[in-house]
Amino acid sequence: MILTVTLNAALDVTHRLDRLRRYGSNRVRDVAERAGGKGVNVSRVLHALGQPTVVTGLAGGLTGAALRRDLVEAGLADQLLPIEGESRRTVAVVEEQAGDTTILLEPGPVVRPGEWARFLGRLDALLPGAAAVVFSGSLPRGVPEDAYAVLVRRAHAHDVPAVVDADGAALRAALPAGPALVKPNAGELAAATGLADPVAAARSLRAAGAGAVVASLGPDGLIALTPHGGWRARSPERLAGNPTGAGDAAVAALTLGLVAGAPWPDLLAEAVALSAAAVAAPLAGEFDPAVHRRLRSLVDVRPLRT
Amino acid sequence: MILTVTLNAALDVTHRLDRLRRYGSNRVRDVAERAGGKGVNVSRVLHALGQPTVVTGLAGGLTGAALRRDLVEAGLADQLLPIEGESRRTVAVVEEQAGDTTILLEPGPVVRPGEWARFLGRLDALLPGAAAVVFSGSLPRGVPEDAYAVLVRRAHAHDVPAVVDADGAALRAALPAGPALVKPNAGELAAATGLADPVAAARSLRAAGAGAVVASLGPDGLIALTPHGGWRARSPERLAGNPTGAGDAAVAALTLGLVAGAPWPDLLAEAVALSAAAVAAPLAGEFDPAVHRRLRSLVDVRPLRT
């Protein structure tokens, strides 16, 4: 079982309309709601691949109840810890005429110290059944700044490899605890290190404690710096679509590869193919199985010249 | 007790941020939620005036639960009927730099026939305790097109005067049932009648069955066509502020005046003063008591020349 941890789980609300009249009153044609947050998306991809996965993290209030209801409807194992605060919504306003989307991100709850302590207990109870654990996304207010370091150390104590997909201070704070893998995107990599060159930046994250660094560079694919060498992996095709969730699909593939002990080039090819298949699907956490099957043998993986 | 009926009750969500980046990802600084819908706002104003009031209508799902929780917190008597569908949200995105607001209105639930029948039973149970009933706002999908006519006839059967604040087809359908009062605004009046002149338009609504017609013309105040004559009432001052809820405050004052049997000029002066006091308050359903006290004796009311 792969455990995913989403500390700031969200209810993703999508509003569709023809065109948004700014400073006007707009009738929304269609509303959709689903559970969101990066860890939830990773579990959705794993579940669609037929891999056992459990969702944990923090969720509260009526927004938390709505997102948990959706997890159950999606057939995902829900082990989110209930908290007092109200979980955040993200509102995506999709303008169908323009084909473009405006996103509003609520700040989310303030976690109480007792709730954080209870979550650590929940994690300790779940880790013995996990082959790997994925820590994804932003930290809600009220949890310690080094939350991901604390959590990675818990995973180590249970001999469970930890994957961290976070940015900024949350990512930097995790590194000394020695996560098996971190997966920043290009912007997060530059922001976390102050270095413009992705290879140099990835090297500095490894030096700070990450076992492997896989950076997603959008249409330029992935670069990986690992204990066994460095690679660059690229899709043979550029697919149009929805890039939200592409990084989460890559994390799902990377974590499965880590657990299976797959050779890095195979693991990276799978991550690129699954990520491209996620771009080709309309919703975060979904992927196009035909694109996945077609691309997995076509991904170009070559050693990094360093 | 004044009963208010909001068939499409809403959870009003307010997102505050500096400036909305269209087609970008926006972090919301501050989120507020409260129960909304025009009838709910009327009850808020009545409650603030110390007048007994009960809220009924339809509410469902977790959004319905959130709005009902807010009614209880506001000290309002909640007699909303639970339905299966999910109540709508309205999302107001307030840009503090521009001082302007973009509003998104969700469509709301589809009401099932059995739910509509149960609501009629709920209304019959509440009407014997009511001195007047106010039917406000849009109709959710699934209720009959002539819903307000059906409801006004139920009020008649209990000898309870009915006030209707609706627009378009919902308003027109209510008229043959003989509501004691309807309160369109200028745009609703023109749309419901096809007549540009407010006095001629109001006269045609009376001819179609309304006992009295009070039309709110924004800063131009109110015009009233009643069984006892016609009047125009204007505030001596133009106040800057939030016009949302000003019409609901006028409805609260008009309904109180009807119940008390106040002379029409006094009743209209009170409606203009309370409506102006609502413009001066930041949230729909609230009013500035000092503005209300100051203006009530200053409103200019004069007979309409017809």
Side-chain angles (χ1 to χ4, degrees), chain A residues 214-276:
Chain A
V214 178
S216 51
L217 310 178
D220 287 337
L222 301 175
I223 57 162
L225 267 78
T226 82
H228 305 100
W231 288 269
R232 176 184 295 275
R234 267 205 196 93
S235 170
E237 300 174 15
R238 295 202 176 190
L239 292 162
N242 172 19
T244 313
D248 303 326
V251 168
L254 294 167
T255 307
L256 280 174
L258 273 187
V259 168
W264 278 98
D266 294 1
L267 195 162
L268 295 170
E270 176 67 12
V272 168
L274 198 56
S275 183

Side-chain angles (χ1 to χ4, degrees), chain A residues 7-306:
Chain A
L7 293 176
N8 209 356
L11 182 69
D12 289 342
V13 178
T14 303
H15 283 167
R16 283 180 194 281
L17 35 69
D18 281 339
R19 195 171 171 286
L20 183 70
R21 283 181 304 124
R22 192 167 191 169
Y23 307 142
S25 201
N26 298 272
R27 292 202 178 274
V28 172
R29 184 182 323 119
D30 175 82
V31 184
E33 280 189 8
R34 49 190 254 153
K38 289 156 79 82
V40 169
N41 293 338
V42 172
S43 278
R44 283 187 194 280
V45 171
L46 291 168
H47 184 66
L49 290 167
Q51 299 290 337
T53 182
V54 171
V55 174
T56 190
L58 305 171
L62 291 162
T63 312
L67 80 88
R68 297 185 71 171
R69 181 175 63 182
D70 181 65
L71 286 182
V72 172
E73 282 170 12
L76 289 165
D78 166 21
Q79 287 288 333
L80 289 162
L81 185 82
I83 58 170
E84 183 96 6
E86 190 77 27
S87 286
R88 66 195 171 113
R89 280 172 292 234
T90 71
V91 180
V93 182
V94 179
E95 297 183 44
E96 295 189 329
Q97 252 174 42
D100 215 332
T101 299
T102 304
I103 293 176
L104 294 155
L105 302 166
E106 294 185 354
V110 180
V111 178
R112 300 176 182 202
E115 293 171 335
W116 175 243
R118 274 203 298 287
F119 176 70
L120 295 177
R122 170 71 58 102
L123 187 70
D124 281 337
L126 291 167
L127 280 168
V133 58
V134 178
F135 300 109
S136 286
S138 64
L139 298 178
R141 292 169 291 174
V143 309
E145 269 184 46
D146 66 342
Y148 282 141
V150 173
L151 299 178
V152 168
R153 281 191 204 104
R154 296 273 169 149
H156 275 305
H158 289 87
D159 271 330
V160 175
V163 174
V164 175
D165 183 4
D167 66 355
L171 170 59
R172 280 197 308 274
L175 300 172
L181 184 119
V182 299
K183 195 225 61 63
N185 63 29
E188 291 162 353
L189 192 59
T193 60
L195 298 169
D197 172 42
V199 175
R203 195 175 292 128
S204 87
L205 294 188
R206 281 203 72 215
V213 179
V214 178
S216 51
L217 310 178
D220 287 337
L222 301 175
I223 57 162
L225 267 78
T226 82
H228 305 100
W231 288 269
R232 176 184 295 275
R234 267 205 196 93
S235 170
E237 300 174 15
R238 295 202 176 190
L239 292 162
N242 172 19
T244 313
D248 303 326
V251 168
L254 294 167
T255 307
L256 280 174
L258 273 187
V259 168
W264 278 98
D266 294 1
L267 195 162
L268 295 170
E270 176 67 12
V272 168
L274 198 56
S275 183
V279 170
L283 292 171
E286 296 183 351
F287 62 90
D288 181 324
V291 172
H292 179 217
R293 277 192 302 274
R294 183 162 55 79
L295 291 186
R296 62 206 309 185
S297 61
L298 301 177
V299 174
D300 176 51
V301 185
R302 56 187 66 185
L304 269 182
R305 300 185 191 198
T306 54

Side-chain angles (χ1 to χ4, degrees), chain B residues 105-123:
Chain B
L105 302 165
E106 295 185 353
V110 179
V111 178
R112 299 176 183 202
E115 293 171 335
W116 175 242
R118 273 204 298 287
F119 176 70
L120 295 177
R122 170 70 58 102
L123 188 68

